[in-house]
RNA sequence: GCCGGGGUGGCGGAAUGGCAGACGCAGGCGACUUAAAAUCGCUCGUGGAAACACAUGCGGGUUCGAAUCCCGCCCCCGGCACCA
């Protein structure tokens, strides 16, 4: 082998090894050994028509390195891939071209799969799953039935942005100043019957169990804030002159004596009854305006507006009469949709009171006495109660407890916990999603399929029988949203209506959102072909939780919260035994275009992985993406830097061509080999791939200096390199005369003793400035170091005549002399 | 506004209390070549001939010693944003 010319030709070796792995079944997940398991998972992609983006291989390479490393370390590794294939783009394409979304999806999956195979990822392809396949949909629907059985899926009339002209519901982002973004048509907030999942029932568990996961701190904080737990009190204010009361939620019951008015959200049902005739016209106008604004528009203007209803409420702590207003800064969706307003201690209430000339009463003070001058802004900090009757002088925390207890005793309130988290709107009026497996009785005189009038009893939902799953989508000619808010599927009358025992029924025509399939796919990978159950409990016990989960930070809340929610429901149903699905989570950073801007078609700065593989090879792309910087960092693409990585791989083949089977590494090389093994091993464990690659470059550069290179050294290099550049690793291993596959070789071990130098070079500082270096035995003591330093003529001169005031000796690191 | 992350050569980055700039890109010089590319070698923070001085967003502090720790400020990126 020595001396043979071995040019590195990725175009030849990459397909060669991909074919070998496929035929050899190298990456099939081993089952049933007593070796430790590792489940390494990527966030599976939506197979878009644009094909793979260079951002995809970043996370996929990182997990692939860990998977290949752990196999070499003796783990049983599960590393699967699949397709999150329901979604809007395929449906939009269908609306424009008439192509069935299934055809588009099949084509796109083929492209993605070709591209992933081209990059040499070590997936166990026998476990490939597709969220749109009937096999998979069956179990997504099955989980929905579990949610329904447990009362966690319910119907609710919730306000949506309905655009009659476009015949569709719009997302908040699509509504601008009450008009549709496309076309400028009026948009109305109308209540629409939707399926909703009761994620709020799991709010506390979703919060508590974040403690136990190894996730980025920022993601945990985002989830905590999304759930938004706050503790406070519910307080009841009676309405003067009515047999009614207003419930409010407050985190500051200690400020009750400062409540100088109340505010109802415009949607609040009591608005109607508390409004006096004199105020009715004004109130109606305000309510109408608020209704036609989208939530986003309501929140975009910070200016406080509102009107007096004419009604008065009684403050339960002191019997004071306070005016009741309506204002859109109070949100119908949070708390009780009504507040007690304390302008002295809440900035929003302060602004509203100032704008409308409402009195401001200070009830909390830093000093313990009320201010002499009017407040310029709300004092929101805690302090000591003033102007609060018998509670005066109490600290905020103690006041809260006492007044809450007193209110409870008086039947006027109680402690309460509130969340920002809302129940999850699970309905889409779209085609390309999982049909919701529910049907309803129909009241009709004829055949509704033929156009007879009908009434659907939505109040009597029935679950589709498990034996009828999967409930498949009907075939349609037209996928456009229509006039019927029931959704696209409502037009498939033959599918929608059916008879059973002589009675007519109608299927639910809403479909599930795209999140549904990705909520549980990590489970199906464990048992992808099981027709009896979504995942056998033995396999769930063996493989869960996912040990490493890598994907974009854009999923920090939605996907990662929804999946945790379903997992907990499945835990309660006995399907899984771990509380959490994903133990360690890592977000890969975004790769920007060469211009430092986000890659986009419009900017023309998109890099296509196919082009890079053609020009440099898959291994160069993989190593480049790992070498760019820390995995989590956002970093700009730079094509000329890939050339450097390619040069590194070229040099690996150059040194391989100088392999000398009988040569032995000398002491210096032995030390470098052990140091490199240690560095690469530690860096893979910590997912610091950029510095691992740097260490392999250093080793390769040293080997370049040798004429005859010990084969043993090259074998170690190949083993370290192979998780990063698997094709090159296999090829070098074979060139060295070993049988494939290098994946079956054990990870090289290092001896810490052999990593150490016998002698170390230590900088000598005078007064903190480096003035010289001394070479010392590695375990030299302070006296030896000082003697060596004094022996240096230039140092002796500098120290002359000055007594040493202090000597700092950090063994093996530094000698600092203070003169 | 609030929360989180970050700011180091021409560029990507390394160093997390102990020699700032590992590794790579780009650049410069040289070898090989008729020439170029490729490859190989050397060089490469700024000022200075050198000794040396200065240098990790800005200002202060702690320490024998700070890119790293603390305080204040500026800027960039991401998230949330009237949540009572």
């Amino acid at each position: 082998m020595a001396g043979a010319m071995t040019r590195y030709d990725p175009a030849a070796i990459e397909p060669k090894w991909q074919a070998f792995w496929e035929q050899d079944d190298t990456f099939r997940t081993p089952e049933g050994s007593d070796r430790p398991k590792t489940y390494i998972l990527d966030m599976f992609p939506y197979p878009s028509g644009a094909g793979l983006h260079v951002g995809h291989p970043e996370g996929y390479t990182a997990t692939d390195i860990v998977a290949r490393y752990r196999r070499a370390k003796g783990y049983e590794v599960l590393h699967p891939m699949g397709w999150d294939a329901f979604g809007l783009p395929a449906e939009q394409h269908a609306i424009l071209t008439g192509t069935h979304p299934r055809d588009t999806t099949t084509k796109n999956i083929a492209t993605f799969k070709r591209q992933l195979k081209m990059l040499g990822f070590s997936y166990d392809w026998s476990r490939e799953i597709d969220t749109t396949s009937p096999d998979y949909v069956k179990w997504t629907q099955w989980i929905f039935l579990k949610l329904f059985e447990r009362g966690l899926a319910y119907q609710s009339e919730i306000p949506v942005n309905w655009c009659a002209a476009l015949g569709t519901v719009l997302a908040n982002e699509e509504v601008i100043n009450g008009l549709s973004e496309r076309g400028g048509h009026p948009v109305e907030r109308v209540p629409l019957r939707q399926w909703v999942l009761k994620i709020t029932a799991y709010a506390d568990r979703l919060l508590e169990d974040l403690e136990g996961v190894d996730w980025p701190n920022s993601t945990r904080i985002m989830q905590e804030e999304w759930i938004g737990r706050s503790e406070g009190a519910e307080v009841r204010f009676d309405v003067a002159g009515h047999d009614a009361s207003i419930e409010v939620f407050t985190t500051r019951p200690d400020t009750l004596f400062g409540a100088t008015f109340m505010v109802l959200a415009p949607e609040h049902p009591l608005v109607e009854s508390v409004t006096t005739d004199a105020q009715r016209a004004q109130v109606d106008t305000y309510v109408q305006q608020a209704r036609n604004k989208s939530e986003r528009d309501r929140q975009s203007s910070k200016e406080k507006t509102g009107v007096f209803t004419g009604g008065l409420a009684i403050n339960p702590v002191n019997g004071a009469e306070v005016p009741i207003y309506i204002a859109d800064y109070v949100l119908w969706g949070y708390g009780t949709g009504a507040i007690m307003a304390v302008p002295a201690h809440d900035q929003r209430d302060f602004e509203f009171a100032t704008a409308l000339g409402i009195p401001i009463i200070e009830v909390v003070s830093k000093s313990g006495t009320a201010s002499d001058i009017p407040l310029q802004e709300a004092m929101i900090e805690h302090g000591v109660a003033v102007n609060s009757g018998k509670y005066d002088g109490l600290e905020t925390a103690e006041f809260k407890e006492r007044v809450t207890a007193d209110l409870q005793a008086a039947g006027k309130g109680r402690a309460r916990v509130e969340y920002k988290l809302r129940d999850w709107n699970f309905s889409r009026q779209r085609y390309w999603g999982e049909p919701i497996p529910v049907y309803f009785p129909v009241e009709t005189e004829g055949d509704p399929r033929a156009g007879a009038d009908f009434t659907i009893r939505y109040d009597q939902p029935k679950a589709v029988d498990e034996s009828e799953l999967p409930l498949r989508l009907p075939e349609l000619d037209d996928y456009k949203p229509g006039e019927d808010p029931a959704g696209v599927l409502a037009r498939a009358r033959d599918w929608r209506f059916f008879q059973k025992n002589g009675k007519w029924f109608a299927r639910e025509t809403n479909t599930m959102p795209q999140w549904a399939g990705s909520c549980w796919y990590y489970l199906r990978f464990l048992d992808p072909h099981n027709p009896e159950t979504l995942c056998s409990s033995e396999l769930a016990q063996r493989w869960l939780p996912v040990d490493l989960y890598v994907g974009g930070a854009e999923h920090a809340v939605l996907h990662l919260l929804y999946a945790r929610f379903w997992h907990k429901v499945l835990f309660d149903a006995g399907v899984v035994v771990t509380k959490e699905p994903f133990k360690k989570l890592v977000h890969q950073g975004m790769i920007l275009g060469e211009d430092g801007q986000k890659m986009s078609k419009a900017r023309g700065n998109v890099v296509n992985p196919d082009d890079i593989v053609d020009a440099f090879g898959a291994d160069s792309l993989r190593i480049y993406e790992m070498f760019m910087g820390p995995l989590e960092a956002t970093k700009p693409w730079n094509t000329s830097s890939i050339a450097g990585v390619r040069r590194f791989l070229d040099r690996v083949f150059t040194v391989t061509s100088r392999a000398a089977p009988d040569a032995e590494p000398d002491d210096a090389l032995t030390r470098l080999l052990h140091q490199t093994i240690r560095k690469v091993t530690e860096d893979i464990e910590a997912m610091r791939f950029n510095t691992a690659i740097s260490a392999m470059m250093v080793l390769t550069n040293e080997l370049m200096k040798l004429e005859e290179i010990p084969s043993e050294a090259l074998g170690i290099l190949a083993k370290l390199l192979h998780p990063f550049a698997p094709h090159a690793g296999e090829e070098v291993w074979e060139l060295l005369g070993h049988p494939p596959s290098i994946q079956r070789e054990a990870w090289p071990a290092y001896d810490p003793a052999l990593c150490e130098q016998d002698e170390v070079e230590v900088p000598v500082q005078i007064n903190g400035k480096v003035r010289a270096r001394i070479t010392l035995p590695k375990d030299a003591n302070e006296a030896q170091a000082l003697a060596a330093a004094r022996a240096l003529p230039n140092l002796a001169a500098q120290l002359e005549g000055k007594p040493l005031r202090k000597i700092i000796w950090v063994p093996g690191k530094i000698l600092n002399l203070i003169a």
Side-chain angles (χ1 to χ4, degrees):
Chain A
M1 201 52 55
M5 201 52 217
T6 46
R7 201 172 62 84
Y8 172 45
D9 182 9
I13 70 167
E14 289 177 355
K16 167 186 158 185
W17 289 106
Q18 286 157 22
F20 171 85
W21 294 326
E22 183 145 350
Q23 172 265 317
D24 179 61
D25 223 356
T26 315
F27 307 120
R28 179 178 288 275
T29 314
E31 288 283 1
S33 79
D34 50 8
R35 290 182 286 153
K37 69 91 185 178
T38 312
Y39 185 0
I40 297 169
L41 184 65
D42 292 300
M43 289 188 188
F44 65 163
Y46 172 75
S48 73
L52 214 62
H53 178 274
V54 288
H56 289 111
E58 191 191 11
Y60 300 165
T61 303
T63 52
D64 200 54
I65 291 166
V66 177
R68 287 172 181 271
Y69 164 76
R70 292 262 167 90
R71 286 189 199 101
K73 284 287 237 181
Y75 286 85
E76 250 181 33
V77 173
L78 175 58
H79 188 40
M81 181 44 81
W83 318 107
D84 187 17
F86 276 125
L88 224 46
E91 182 166 330
Q92 300 288 29
H93 191 251
I95 291 167
L96 290 172
T97 65
T99 315
H100 196 291
R102 187 173 300 115
D103 298 337
T104 310
T105 302
T106 305
K107 198 174 119 237
N108 293 349
I109 287 176
T111 304
F112 265 68
K113 193 169 177 182
R114 172 187 65 74
Q115 290 180 305
L116 292 181
K117 289 203 161 191
M118 163 185 90
L119 291 167
F121 295 127
S122 63
Y123 296 122
D124 177 354
W125 284 107
S126 71
R127 292 170 186 261
E128 176 181 359
I129 56 181
D130 166 1
T131 55
T132 67
S133 76
D135 248 12
Y136 190 91
V137 167
K138 172 178 175 178
W139 296 107
T140 308
Q141 290 172 333
W142 183 88
I143 296 171
F144 181 89
L145 293 182
K146 294 293 135 192
L147 289 157
F148 181 63
E149 278 168 21
R150 291 171 173 265
L152 295 168
Y154 63 97
Q155 299 173 85
S156 175
E157 296 277 327
I158 57 178
V160 295
N161 302 307
W162 174 251
C163 177
L166 293 173
T168 188
V169 165
L170 299 175
N172 280 332
E173 292 73 18
E174 298 171 309
V175 184
I176 295 165
N177 295 325
L179 300 175
S180 64
E181 188 190 15
R182 279 183 308 127
H185 306 292
V187 175
E188 237 192 322
R189 301 278 295 168
V190 299
L192 192 61
R193 182 192 61 90
Q194 306 273 288
W195 281 95
V196 179
L197 300 189
K198 211 173 194 168
I199 190 170
T200 53
Y202 283 72
D204 275 326
R205 285 163 68 185
L206 288 167
L207 200 57
E208 283 160 19
D209 292 343
L210 280 174
E211 295 294 326
V213 297
D214 180 7
W215 282 23
N217 199 32
S218 55
T219 304
R220 283 191 358 206
I221 289 171
M222 268 194 234
Q223 291 215 349
E224 278 169 25
E225 290 179 349
W226 192 264
I227 293 165
R229 183 180 202 274
S230 60
E231 287 182 16
E234 182 184 290
V235 185
R236 214 179 68 227
F237 285 65
D238 289 327
V239 180
H242 286 71
D243 184 19
S245 60
I246 298 169
E247 305 255 306
V248 301
F249 172 72
T250 176
T251 56
R252 294 294 301 274
D254 61 297
T255 61
L256 261 164
F257 287 84
T260 52
F261 60 105
M262 302 198 74
V263 187
L264 302 179
E267 299 89 341
H268 199 289
L270 279 175
V271 171
E272 180 63 25
S273 54
V274 300
T275 300
T276 57
D277 291 341
Q279 299 299 111
R280 185 152 320 266
Q282 257 194 63
V283 167
D284 285 351
T285 307
Y286 191 84
V287 168
Q288 194 56 43
Q289 279 170 0
R291 179 176 304 153
N292 290 336
K293 281 197 224 169
S294 73
E295 211 142 303
R296 171 162 295 215
D297 287 333
R298 267 170 73 161
Q299 295 181 4
S300 67
S301 163
K302 296 273 179 192
E303 211 121 300
K304 301 287 174 291
T305 62
V307 295
F308 180 43
T309 61
L312 298 170
I314 313 292
N315 188 328
V317 291
N318 59 6
E321 285 195 335
V322 293
I324 304 167
Y325 287 77
I326 62 167
D328 65 4
Y329 80 90
V330 173
L331 307 175
W332 177 229
Y334 182 76
T336 61
I339 60 159
M340 64 176 217
V342 184
H345 306 289
D346 180 284
Q347 189 56 30
R348 297 151 301 183
D349 298 344
F350 183 90
E351 285 164 23
F352 189 83
T354 307
L356 279 83
I358 302 167
I360 296 172
I361 301 174
E362 185 186 18
V363 291
V364 186
S365 144
K366 284 253 129 170
S367 61
T369 49
S371 312
D372 315 331
I373 49 164
L375 294 169
Q376 293 307 297
E377 57 176 11
M379 202 297 273
I380 57 176
E381 280 110 288
H382 288 191
V384 178
V386 295
N387 296 328
S388 296
K390 65 172 180 173
Y391 301 99
D392 274 352
L394 286 183
E395 299 275 347
T396 299
E398 201 191 341
F399 191 165
K400 283 187 187 182
E401 265 176 50
R402 284 239 216 135
V403 75
T404 304
D406 292 348
L407 286 166
Q408 174 135 23
K412 303 262 183 194
R414 60 188 176 90
R416 171 164 165 173
V417 176
E418 194 55 50
Y419 301 90
K420 287 186 204 170
L421 184 68
R422 302 268 69 91
D423 277 342
W424 174 14
N425 179 353
F426 200 66
S427 281
R428 298 293 182 270
Q429 293 71 45
R430 299 283 178 178
Y431 176 76
W432 193 228
E434 300 88 343
I436 291 175
V438 169
Y439 61 97
F440 309 91
V442 173
E443 291 167 1
T444 180
E445 295 301 319
D447 182 347
R449 292 174 307 184
D453 285 346
F454 60 87
T455 303
I456 297 176
R457 295 300 304 267
Y458 286 116
D459 57 331
Q460 295 172 30
K462 302 193 183 317
V464 169
D465 193 83
E466 255 180 72
S467 65
E468 291 172 38
L469 299 183
L471 173 61
R472 293 172 190 249
L473 284 166
E475 296 303 318
L476 289 185
D477 300 325
D478 177 11
Y479 307 95
K480 266 201 272 313
E483 285 166 28
D484 190 343
V488 180
L489 296 186
R491 293 203 299 267
R493 287 196 210 162
D494 290 346
W495 176 87
R496 185 185 196 186
F497 296 104
F498 64 95
Q499 270 181 303
K500 201 159 84 176
N501 304 328
K503 289 185 182 136
W504 282 102
F505 294 94
R507 297 193 185 284
E508 173 58 64
T509 51
N510 286 333
T511 51
M512 300 187 200
Q514 196 185 350
W515 308 108
S518 60
C519 271
W520 71 282
Y521 73 113
Y522 60 93
L523 264 178
R524 191 61 177 172
F525 278 136
L526 306 182
D527 202 0
H529 310 298
N530 193 331
E532 306 298 328
T533 169
L534 81 170
C535 174
S536 86
S537 53
E538 297 81 57
L539 289 169
Q541 278 199 38
R542 163 116 183 94
W543 286 104
L544 292 177
V546 172
D547 294 280
L548 174 64
Y549 193 29
V550 175
E554 67 274 20
H555 295 116
V557 269
L558 299 177
H559 159 63
L560 285 165
L561 193 67
Y562 295 152
R564 293 180 62 222
F565 164 46
W566 278 34
H567 189 89
K568 288 177 189 304
V569 173
L570 292 172
F571 176 88
D572 292 347
V575 176
V576 297
V577 296
T578 61
K579 284 185 176 177
E580 286 288 322
F582 313 120
K583 191 159 98 192
K584 182 180 171 76
L585 171 72
V586 174
H587 299 302
Q588 83 276 15
M590 211 192 332
I591 296 183
L592 303 174
E594 222 148 352
D595 53 3
Q597 303 286 108
K598 208 165 164 170
M599 280 192 197
S600 75
K601 260 191 204 157
R603 288 201 185 86
N605 60 353
V606 176
V607 177
N608 179 348
D610 284 313
D611 298 341
I612 302 300
V613 171
D614 280 348
F616 300 96
D619 283 339
S620 291
L621 175 60
R622 292 172 57 121
I623 295 204
Y624 172 63
E625 292 211 4
M626 294 300 97
F627 187 59
M628 291 172 86
L631 181 63
E632 306 80 5
T634 304
K635 21 192 198 266
W637 183 267
N638 182 329
T639 298
S640 67
S641 287
I642 307 176
V645 161
R646 170 60 192 265
R647 275 197 276 275
F648 160 59
L649 290 176
D650 284 336
R651 282 197 280 264
V652 169
F653 279 79
T654 303
V655 294
T656 301
S657 72
R658 297 190 214 145
D662 299 326
E664 292 281 328
D666 64 12
D667 287 354
L669 180 55
T670 300
R671 190 186 313 120
L672 181 60
L673 284 167
H674 282 261
Q675 286 171 339
T676 308
I677 297 168
R678 177 170 66 183
K679 178 74 178 151
V680 173
T681 306
E682 288 174 357
D683 281 353
I684 292 176
E685 292 281 356
M687 300 185 78
R688 290 187 301 247
F689 305 115
N690 53 332
T691 49
I693 292 164
S694 160
M696 291 186 280
M697 287 174 168
V698 170
L699 173 61
T700 304
N701 291 344
E702 281 306 307
L703 294 178
M704 281 292 284
K705 296 173 186 166
L706 304 176
E707 286 300 324
E708 299 229 305
I709 300 167
S711 291
E712 184 195 336
L714 293 164
I716 288 170
L717 176 60
K719 285 179 188 173
L720 296 179
L721 179 64
H722 124 271
F724 299 81
H727 313 87
E730 291 277 17
E731 185 71 16
V732 169
W733 190 244
E734 191 180 57
L735 287 169
L736 292 171
H738 303 290
S741 156
I742 195 171
Q743 176 69 92
R744 287 195 273 272
E745 300 296 322
W747 189 251
Y750 63 90
D751 179 347
L754 289 177
C755 294
E756 301 301 325
Q757 312 246 19
D758 296 336
E759 296 197 311
V760 287
E761 197 182 55
V762 176
V764 181
Q765 296 183 334
I766 309 281
N767 297 333
K769 303 258 183 202
V770 177
R771 298 296 174 183
R773 293 173 214 321
I774 50 177
T775 303
L776 296 168
K778 66 170 184 242
D779 46 7
N781 60 25
E782 182 177 318
Q784 286 170 290
L786 197 56
R790 285 194 194 280
L792 295 171
N794 61 331
L795 275 198
Q798 291 208 38
L799 289 169
E800 198 166 343
K802 297 176 206 160
L804 278 185
R805 287 195 289 127
K806 197 168 178 184
I807 300 165
I808 290 114
W809 167 242
V810 183
K813 292 269 191 188
I814 204 156
L815 177 66
N816 190 6
L817 305 175
I818 313 304

